[in-house]
Amino acid sequence: MKKNKILFTIVLAVFAILVGCNKDFLEIKPKGSLDEGVLATEKGVNTLLIGAYSLLDGVSSQFGWEAASSNWVYGDIRGMVGNKGTDAGDQPDINPLQSYSETSTNPYLNVKWRSVYEAVSRCNSVITVAAKALAAGTITKEQHDSFVKQARALRGWYHFEAWRMWAKIPYVDEKTDLSKVANTEDVKAKIIADLQEGTSLPNNMGQVGRFNGTVANVLLAKAKMQMNKDWAGALANLNAAKTGTKPNGTPIGLAPTYGEVFDIVNRNGIESVYTVQYSVNDGSGAWNGGWGEVLNFPYKGGGGSPGGCCGFFQATQEYVNSFRTTADGLPMLDNSYNNFPVKSDVGLTPSQPFTPDAGNLDPRLDWSVGRRGIPYWDWGKHTGSDWIRDQSYAGPYSPKKQVYQKKQEGQYTEVGNWTSGWTANGYRMIRYADILLLAAECQIETNDLAGALANINAVRNRAANPDGFVMDGAAPAAKYVIAPYKPFTDQNQARLAVRMERKLELGMEGHRWFDLNRWGITQTELNRVLAYEKTVPWGNSMYGSATVGPEDATYPIPQRQIDLSNGKLVQNR
Amino acid sequence: MQITTIVRRTALIFLSMVFSMGIVFAQQRTITGKVTAEGEGPVPGVTVVVQGTTVGTITDMSGTYSIRVQGPSSVLVFSFVGYQTREITVGTQSTIDVVLIPDVVAVSEVVVTGYSSQRKRDITGAVGVVETTALKAIPSGNVVSQLQGRTSGITVIGSGQPGQTSRLRIRGFSSFENNDPLYIVDGIPSSTISMINPNDVESISVLKDAGAASIYGSRASNGVIVITTKKGATGVKVTYDMYTGTQLAGGGPTKDLLNTKEYANLQWLVYRNDGTNETHPIYGPSSNASPTLPGWAADTDWYKTITRNASMSNHDVTLSGGNENAKFFAGVGAFIQNGIIKTTDTKKYTARFNSEFKVLEGRLTIGENVSMTYGSSHGVTNLAEGSPIQMGPYRSQPIVPAIITKPIKGTGHDFVPGEYGGTGIIARLGNNTNALANLERAKDNNNYNLSVMGSAFADVKIMDGLNVRSSLGGRFFNGAYYSFNNSTYENAENNATPSMTEGANYGGHWTWSNTVSYNKTFGDHKVSAVGGYESNKINIYRELGGTRAGYFSDAVDYRTLSNGQTITAAFSSASTPVTLVSQFAKADYSFRDKYLFSATIRRDGSSVFSEDKRYGIFPSFSAGWRIKDESFLKDLSWLSDLKLRGSWGTLGNQLAVNPANAFSLFGGSPDQSFYDISGTGSSSAQGFRKNRIGNPDAQWETNVTTDLGFEATLFNSKIGIVFDWYSKQTKDLLFNPELPGTAGSASQPYVNIASMSNKGLDIELTYKNTFGDLGFNASAVLTTVNNEITKVADGVNFFDWGGSRIGSYNRNQVGHPMSAFFGYQVAGLFKDAAEVASAAKQDGAEPGFFRYADINNDKVIDPKDRTFIGNPNPDFTYGLNLALTYKNFDISTFIYGSQGNDIFNNNKWWVDFWPSFQGQKSQDLLYRSWTPSNTGASVPKASNKSNFSTNTVSSSYYLEDGSFVRMKNLQIGYTMPASSLSKVYLKSVRVYVQAVNLFTITKYSGLDPEIGGGDRAFGVDAGNYPNVKQFIIGLNLTL
């Protein structure tokens, strides 16, 4: 029995020791992450700020092309300069967006919403942690202010992006109680205030990817124009921007020729006021390289055309027609260009002969659109339907502006992902011509028609520079006829001119539908374009019975977000 | 089980000694002899009594006995636990040697449960027992798939992919996140048993209710499966088991799909329906009366192209032996299966060594068990876009040659004979890849996993009935993999640059458990108790890997990571381990073997919860009443036994929770938060984001389980019935509600907010009888689960899950079961323009397209009209096992079925709609779709319009009844007569032939109705690796 007792005592002792060890054994810190405290330093806040910049493209491995800030879906397809392209069944969620029949459950809208507000949340993290760092003395007041101004300018921009999609949006800052976010208050003043904060940033921020005073001025002007029709206020900001610099202090201005603007090597060239920076082969597995536009390349199997995927984002015939110029080199502001449609190869196979349109055209067409018979960057001539996924569904045109060149493959495109369409061709978020045309708009509305004419014609004269024509050997690839406007007769004619000029200059760059909304002509203009586009051979199956109603000047607020808000978010229509 | 046997042997020896003292020294003679057991050698401790007297003795260590008897008519009764009792009339013999035959029934009646084993008749919880012989009837390398239909209360679904792990659920779902049961392998908790060789398994018990499982507390809410592996026994035994066979690919879905000519005709039908005019790049102008085919046109049967008849084989050798004080078991096994999809296979090699030693005069038992598994597989994605079944037969046009036989000038590549054909030949061939090329290119990828699992224990007998046991064990695994992603030339969308990914990982878990057990009988009172302390560390895992792109050559021998030009990824990932500390106790008490009570309590502490919420307590109570032993039922002769039982208790779950759940964290990754702030174009600066929002208040998920049941045997135990009704209510169910977008997109924390209910019946029936030489054995199990989500989160009553080209199909909503199908209800097709005009307003409506039901009657079809259109959860599943033996022949069959479940046939989306990519289409679309002259069709008009009224939303069109009955096994065996074997020194030889999946009765039109998937979105057939017919021959040999 004594042996038993000894044994039992030993066992009990072991148990007692074990129970005593509990506490430390159960303390395990998560692996692979940091907490807020570690980040409250200059380096930490800056790194958070870079995180906030990194959603300027809208996309990450969490958010796909649905959220691309280049807005090829929301700006251009919705604005009918482009269509979905590709075939009927790929990305079918775009179909209702382009036929103005989307519901609030459309998944594209939810991804865009989540991307924008994740970006806002990143800005708020910068502001919160910067305050901590300042309190802890790990950064100076000057450093703090620079971080916070950048973060607020970014926050203002992200909110503005949401505003121009949905109008009735919640505003979230670092003090917002996240459980009480509603979209019933007017947020315009807060957006303006955030952007205003950025305008006091210096022009030279040292790095081209940051926001500086110039960038903030342009964004503020855009917000003032779009939200408040504050033309005079916006003009002041635009004028300030015109004399500014890029964020790295280098000069801005019009590039000598039009086409060079879209060349990857010029992504941070003189024309670029702010380009969303894309990088490839940077170890991210391509996610920083044009993920938002990765679908938008010609579709030709087996190589011989860029990207190899996926044939999205084709131009509409109506958009192509609008490049038609009169004998004196001017666009047809009465939209009569549709009576002289640009000839296409629709319905033909590559082996059937085709001669491209011989009429007068604005040279910018062939930098904006790929069409049969016209040289396409350095890829040779576009050969027609073999570059197109389904001509009978989406017509004969290919996108071009963001497409890379053959000689750039591998250097400016990601190697080793499923397509080479991950490029370093950053989205030209603000380019100098945009500033000039916005300024012209403000000038027209404030009745400075001469000033407006000068700005518009600066853009137009650049387009007319024959050094920038698409060449077929030694000769221009088409009959390019373009000339500056004569002085405007009245405000209305000037309006028509600037609006047409934006379409021609900035088409396929994500602006069109937002521009139409700013001008208040969304319904009439798009119904007009729709009526024409339904008459082209592929138009009926693509648009069917689509019509544009007054509600189509916004997108519905994603139903999922309304559901998740517990009734605090309300639908905007 | 071993322990119990020892305890009971000890008890018997003790009882026998009492007997022997009372021997009356009558006269006559002494009988001596030796008792041996079949295949085991001498058996000590066997009780030998003279029938009708109190005269008795027990055998000594060498199995010999000596007993005095009265006369020749005396009968000696030899009895020993686990063996059939033998009665021998003395006659004139003076030496009687007896061979004891194992009593299978008696052995199986000892059931291994949590930390102990019990006689089945004493158990008050719901415990399912699976006969290991039944397991082996299904040729598989994986125990989980063998469990299908073998005991009630479990549901197993798996595909035909070699090496796959089936999905096993016990009594439905109790979590949104993780419903995997806890496996206990020789006392070591594990989240998987894929590394176990089925041939090493000695017993499997399924602990289904709280009464049985709550001793595993916080990890038991999904049920517990307790597995013990084989141990040595007295004597020497060598076995060799093998089988080999072939799996037949069959014809696949080809008969329902189009050939090349038909496909072209379908294009013409689309032109007619849509009024399109164009020159088709392949078939010529649409104005022609019929399409013309180009010279290069093939007529490829893509299913045949990517499949093959495939071999499988298995070999197991076991050695076991020992004496009273030392026992060992060793086994090696090899399982090699090729898949019916080309280049898929799995190989699994296992080795096991179990041993046990008694020292210190039998007071200390020490032992170990260890198994090593090496596995290597070539697998393919399944039930997803890109799976070969989807990419091949359902997406590839038949006109595309799988392999080029004559030169073709493609749009971007000139194809020469021997190359792969593909969608890059010309426009309109679709964007799928060549499924054969994908498979053949992947064959040079490789991977392996090495796993070592085992434990060592020491068991001290402190006094009779009181034992202390400590065991330490765990698992360590290590794996490595590499895969090469070739550049392609044949596709419409090519991969320009080859890349390679290579990586390695290691991980494991360990458990140290210490228990005290006490077993004692005091007259009518029997007490057994076990208590203990356990610590665990699980989820230890680390992985490193990288991807490089740009390879100078595709040569297989050139494939190393270093040879790539550009680093596209370099990563390591470390999981946060979880530690658990637990105390537990269980006490069983029975009075006169008639009234049984049991109580269990476990307290668990887990590192995944913050300090305040760290500990959870999980009690259970159960009771049984052997009512047959009551006087008022004594006289019912047909009723052999009847026990009523019931249990109540709570079980926990923490598997849902990320170990970082309590913390708000920041971090960054190149793909999410890095930015090229300097405009280099080729590098990005590190950026951070809030990547996790913490919830320090998360707590255990708790299941409250009630079980009522009875067990009866009738007609001299020929018929057995086990019946259980259960209710399992999960509260504080951990869910990470999606936060509003305005909160940012950091990982949302888990909060204890949801709840779920499962109710159902488990029924098992057995029948066993012999008619002369004919033995008959039948068993049936039936499982029903009624699963219902009762709460998701405050203000949120559903979440959608799963993805497809047109969004998710599965909605998890309050009032509905997990994973229910959600979408528009198709009311038919619009017959004509008049019907379109009179119907509710519907986008894209036109004759021949879907007319959806206006559920809310507001004359507009919009998202509010979506409804629940199907349920992938079966009403019940069942298994039926029939076995006949006649002389040396045995024949057995096993039938498994599932009734009342729906399948969302996503393959229809690809093949029944022209604009669902330019891939393969169905016979239905060409021949049975709506046309102005066939307005009564159910298949919509062949049209290139992709809109709300055709193929862009989830609808009831895709739903089919997924019920099926499948003959899983038909086996005929022959056991050689013992007489013929003794000459060749063999103990037993059995040969058999077997057919697996011989037939399936189902209305489902797809390849295979066994469709699995994740718990929140299952039952969607997106190209399933089918279970196919197999024909096997096998041999069981004992030396």
Side-chain angles (χ1 to χ4, degrees), chain B residues 15-161:
Chain B
L15 280 172
S16 309
M17 286 165 76
V18 175
F19 270 117
S20 49
M21 282 182 203
I23 291 172
V24 180
F25 279 63
Q27 290 314 307
Q28 313 315 333
R29 57 205 173 96
T30 303
I31 307 286
T32 57
K34 187 171 186 176
V35 181
T36 54
E38 199 177 68
E40 297 260 344
V43 187
V46 176
T47 309
V48 187
V49 291
V50 181
Q51 200 172 51
T53 71
T54 54
V55 179
T57 181
I58 57 167
T59 56
D60 65 13
M61 291 306 282
S62 57
T64 56
Y65 69 96
S66 168
I67 194 166
R68 287 169 175 267
V69 297
Q70 291 284 4
S73 60
S74 299
V75 176
L76 291 182
V77 180
F78 297 82
S79 60
F80 190 68
V81 175
Y83 291 87
Q84 291 174 12
T85 300
R86 293 205 60 184
E87 295 175 6
I88 292 172
T89 309
V90 173
T92 56
Q93 304 170 89
S94 57
T95 306
I96 299 178
D97 292 340
V98 172
V99 179
L100 292 180
I101 296 157
D103 183 343
V104 179
V105 176
V107 168
S108 72
E109 288 206 336
V110 176
V111 176
V112 182
T113 54
Y115 300 97
S116 61
S117 53
Q118 280 177 282
R119 287 193 305 171
K120 196 167 184 195
R121 57 187 268 126
D122 295 342
I123 291 177
T124 48
V127 179
V129 178
V130 181
E131 303 280 343
T132 50
T133 48
L135 280 187
K136 287 208 252 172
I138 301 297
S140 168
N142 200 327
V143 175
V144 173
S145 48
Q146 294 174 324
L147 284 170
Q148 186 183 54
R150 293 306 186 174
T151 185
S152 61
I154 69 174
T155 315
V156 178
I157 285 286
S159 77
Q161 168 140 236

Side-chain angles (χ1 to χ4, degrees), chain A residues 4 18 22-23 25 31 34 47 61-62 89-90 95 118 209 274 277 280 282-283 285 287 299 302 417 560-561, chain B residues 363 412 431 462 493-495 512 533 568 576 579 581 611 666 671 675 677 681 684 688-689 738 741 745 915 946:
Chain A
N4 292 343
L18 290 174
N22 269 1
K23 223 176 148 188
F25 184 66
K31 299 230 185 297
L34 300 164
T47 309
S61 59
Q62 270 185 312
D90 207 345
N95 298 357
E118 160 69 3
Y274 191 84
Q277 303 299 321
V280 292
D282 64 351
W287 295 105
Y299 200 84
N417 215 305
R560 183 76 189 139
Q561 297 303 326
Chain B
R363 295 197 69 168
N431 71 335
I462 291 178
E493 297 167 11
N494 280 308
N495 178 34
W512 185 24
Y533 173 92
T568 51
T576 304
T579 48
V581 172
E611 211 177 326
F666 291 82
D671 60 331
Y675 188 61
I677 196 83
S684 47
F688 285 164
R689 57 188 281 263
E738 184 183 342
S745 292
S946 174

Side-chain angles (χ1 to χ4, degrees), chain B residues 21 91 112 145 247 273 308-309 351 415 452 510 555 711 906 922:
Chain B
M21 282 182 203
V112 182
S145 48
Q247 310 153 81
N273 284 340
R308 62 182 173 186
N309 293 338
F415 292 84
V452 180
W510 57 257
E711 290 159 25
N906 191 52
S922 67

Side-chain angles (χ1 to χ4, degrees), chain B residues 706-719:
Chain B
T706 312
D707 188 293
L708 294 172
F710 68 84
E711 290 159 25
T713 53
L714 314 176
F715 303 112
N716 213 9
S717 300
K718 285 193 185 75
I719 293 176

Side-chain angles (χ1 to χ4, degrees), chain A residues 251-284:
Chain A
I252 53 174
L254 280 177
T257 63
Y258 184 71
E260 72 182 80
V261 172
F262 309 104
D263 190 328
I264 300 182
V265 298
N266 295 326
R267 65 192 185 283
N268 291 315
I270 187 163
E271 175 93 8
S272 161
V273 180
Y274 191 84
T275 291
V276 181
Q277 303 299 321
Y278 295 178
S279 54
V280 292
N281 305 317
D282 64 351
S284 70

